[in-house]
């Protein structure tokens, strides 16, 4: 038996017993020494708060009948599943999830206890798995909490917002629909009652959010997906055109394995890789194309090709 199995056995034996259970009986059942059995009993009592009492006259252990009913929460997880949970926890930390870090800590500690109880040791997943966010914008934990609470409760949300493209800060009344984590940054997708349309709000630019106990307007998943998943990038709206890109041999071996959009089309033509991507607003797509420099060429549409060429000409002037 590993330690997890022994803890199960102790728990089930004490739970079902009508009288104090002699230590000898548990030693024989677990096939361990008396010292090891006592150590497991102490571990069950100290780490999992099992209401274990000891009767000295009978040299036996029992559950305190006056205590609340005790079970072993979470012990149905296998060690592999527990490791997976710890990896997920580490990933959440990497996603700049400061708002619930304090709430996650007790869960993380309990998972580690269960891992240790299963005989897997106190493996520190944080040293083995690392999520490294880059270019992210910090979001105040209080802002995240208010926005998340309104979203989950189905309430409208009021806040002050200043878009980066505009100098004026405005008051917004929004029905939250989804929280999006995109390229290491958080966004709120919401129905803006002022614009009477879906809008994306960067959480780091939301100020003084107030959840209002007023029912939010709820859009269907189909409506949301049409606006958020119809085209490349973070911009809303259905695709209005398709970008045909040709990558040279140097970049093709990487791009061929990349996922730019659910509706993308890709094929090899000799040593070149051709990628077709739907888009609504070219702003983000142009930045992605420029990231590949001379390794990519826009074949069509002509409007996008010229926009990329113009940006490259401007860049050359900077270094002229």
């Amino acid at each position: 038996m590993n330690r997890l199995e022994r803890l199960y056995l102790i728990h089930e034996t004490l739970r079902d017993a009508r009288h104090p259970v002699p230590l000898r009986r548990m030693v024989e059942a677990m096939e361990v020494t008396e010292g090891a059995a006592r150590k497991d009993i102490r571990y069950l009592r100290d780490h999992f708060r099992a209401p274990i009492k000891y009767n000295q006259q009978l040299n036996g252990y029992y559950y305190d009948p006056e205590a609340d009913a005790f079970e072993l929460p979470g012990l149905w997880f296998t060690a592999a599943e527990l490791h997976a949970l710890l990896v997920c926890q580490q990933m959440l930390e990497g996603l700049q999830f400061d708002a619930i870090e304090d709430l996650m800590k007790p869960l993380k500690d309990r998972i580690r206890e269960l891992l240790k109880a299963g005989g897997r040791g106190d493996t520190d997943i944080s040293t083995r798995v690392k999520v490294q966010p880059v270019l992210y914008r910090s979001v105040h934990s209080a802002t995240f909490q208010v926005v998340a609470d309104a979203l989950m409760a189905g309430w409208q949300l009021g806040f002050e917002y200043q878009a980066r493209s505009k100098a004026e800060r405005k008051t917004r009344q929004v029905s939250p629909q989804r929280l999006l984590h995109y390229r290491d940054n958080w966004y709120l997708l919401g129905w803006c009652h002022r614009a009477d349309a879906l809008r994306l709000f960067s959480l780091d630019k939301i100020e003084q959010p107030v959840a209002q106990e007023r029912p939010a307007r709820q859009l269907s998943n189909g409506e949301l997906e049409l606006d958020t998943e119809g085209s490349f990038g973070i911009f809303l709206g259905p695709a209005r055109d398709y970008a045909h890109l040709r990558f040279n041999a140097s970049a093709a071996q990487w791009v061929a394995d990349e996922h730019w959009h659910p509706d993308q089309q890709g094929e090899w033509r000799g040593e070149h890789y051709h990628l077709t991507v739907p888009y609504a607003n070219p702003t983000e797509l142009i930045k992605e194309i420029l990231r590949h420099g001379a390794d990519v060429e826009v074949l069509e549409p002509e409007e996008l090709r010229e926009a990329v060429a113009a940006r490259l000409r401007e860049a050359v002037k900077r270094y002229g």
Side-chain angles (χ1 to χ4, degrees):
M1 288 187 183
N2 61 31
R3 195 175 202 187
L4 179 59
E5 292 171 325
R6 297 199 304 271
L7 293 180
Y8 261 123
L9 179 60
I10 295 171
H11 167 63
E12 292 171 354
T13 301
L14 298 182
R15 182 191 59 192
D16 300 336
R18 296 184 178 180
H19 305 285
V21 179
L23 181 64
R24 181 181 67 259
R25 175 180 163 187
M26 287 188 280
V27 167
E28 293 174 353
M30 293 188 293
E31 298 180 346
V32 295
T33 64
E34 289 190 3
R38 288 194 179 94
K39 187 175 182 180
D40 286 341
I41 291 171
R42 286 197 301 270
Y43 192 91
L44 186 61
R45 182 190 61 205
D46 297 340
H47 286 266
F48 293 98
R49 302 176 182 86
I52 299 175
K53 297 290 186 178
Y54 175 66
N55 187 308
Q56 188 172 11
Q57 293 180 340
L58 299 176
N59 188 29
Y61 295 87
Y62 64 98
Y63 275 165
D64 185 354
E66 297 182 1
D68 294 334
F70 173 75
E71 289 297 336
L72 289 174
L75 282 178
W76 51 84
F77 290 120
T78 65
E81 291 169 335
L82 292 171
H83 276 116
L85 285 174
L86 278 175
V87 170
C88 290
Q89 187 275 337
Q90 175 64 14
M91 291 181 68
L92 285 176
E93 290 181 356
L95 291 179
Q96 206 250 323
F97 223 43
D98 300 338
I100 63 169
E101 184 175 354
D102 292 340
L103 299 177
M104 289 289 294
K105 187 178 184 306
L107 175 60
K108 179 180 176 181
D109 292 342
R110 178 55 61 88
I111 291 173
R112 290 187 184 280
E113 289 179 0
L114 296 177
L115 267 178
K116 196 170 182 180
R120 299 289 176 167
D122 191 15
T123 304
D124 188 0
I125 296 294
S126 64
T127 64
R128 310 292 179 91
V129 178
K130 187 68 175 178
V131 178
Q132 184 65 52
V134 295
L135 303 179
Y136 71 85
R137 301 183 294 271
S138 296
V139 176
H140 197 282
S141 60
T143 297
F144 190 100
Q145 193 69 58
V146 173
V147 172
D149 286 347
L151 173 65
M152 297 306 176
W155 294 341
Q156 292 187 27
L157 184 70
F159 53 84
E160 299 291 317
Y161 190 78
Q162 181 177 343
R164 286 181 167 81
S165 59
K166 300 178 181 178
E168 184 182 1
R169 186 171 68 174
K170 296 182 178 179
T171 300
R172 301 280 186 165
Q173 186 73 20
V174 172
S175 287
Q177 304 295 318
R178 286 179 179 173
L179 274 171
L180 304 178
H181 189 264
Y182 180 76
R183 295 196 171 188
D184 289 331
N185 287 291
W186 287 103
Y187 299 87
L188 171 66
L189 175 64
W191 182 268
C192 178
H193 293 272
R194 178 174 180 173
D196 199 29
L198 272 178
R199 291 289 186 267
L200 269 176
F201 303 95
S202 182
L203 255 65
D204 65 294
K205 301 298 287 184
I206 290 178
E207 298 182 9
Q208 303 175 26
V210 177
Q212 302 165 346
E213 296 188 24
R214 184 184 308 169
R217 173 175 178 174
Q218 298 296 333
L219 277 68
S220 69
N221 287 333
E223 292 175 294
L224 296 177
E225 289 170 2
L226 179 64
D227 271 282
T228 60
E229 301 179 18
S231 59
F232 176 85
I234 193 67
F235 290 97
L236 299 179
R240 66 175 182 84
D241 216 332
Y242 286 81
H244 182 183
L245 313 176
R246 179 174 63 192
F247 294 86
N248 64 19
S250 176
Q253 58 183 324
W254 301 97
V255 176
D257 294 326
E258 292 179 352
H259 186 80
W260 288 41
H261 189 270
D263 296 330
Q264 70 184 40
Q265 299 291 328
E267 64 173 336
W268 286 94
R269 297 182 188 176
E271 64 177 5
H272 293 91
Y273 185 75
H274 288 247
L275 179 67
T276 303
V277 182
Y279 70 94
N281 185 314
T283 303
E284 186 178 354
L285 181 58
I286 290 174
K287 291 181 180 179
E288 190 65 27
I289 294 170
L290 292 174
R291 183 173 70 88
H292 289 276
D295 293 330
V296 63
E297 179 183 359
V298 179
L299 299 183
E300 55 182 352
E302 185 61 33
E303 178 186 11
L304 179 62
R305 179 182 174 89
E306 179 54 35
V308 172
R311 294 290 297 274
L312 289 172
R313 287 193 291 267
E314 290 177 8
V316 170
K317 288 181 182 179
R318 294 281 189 275
Y319 294 92

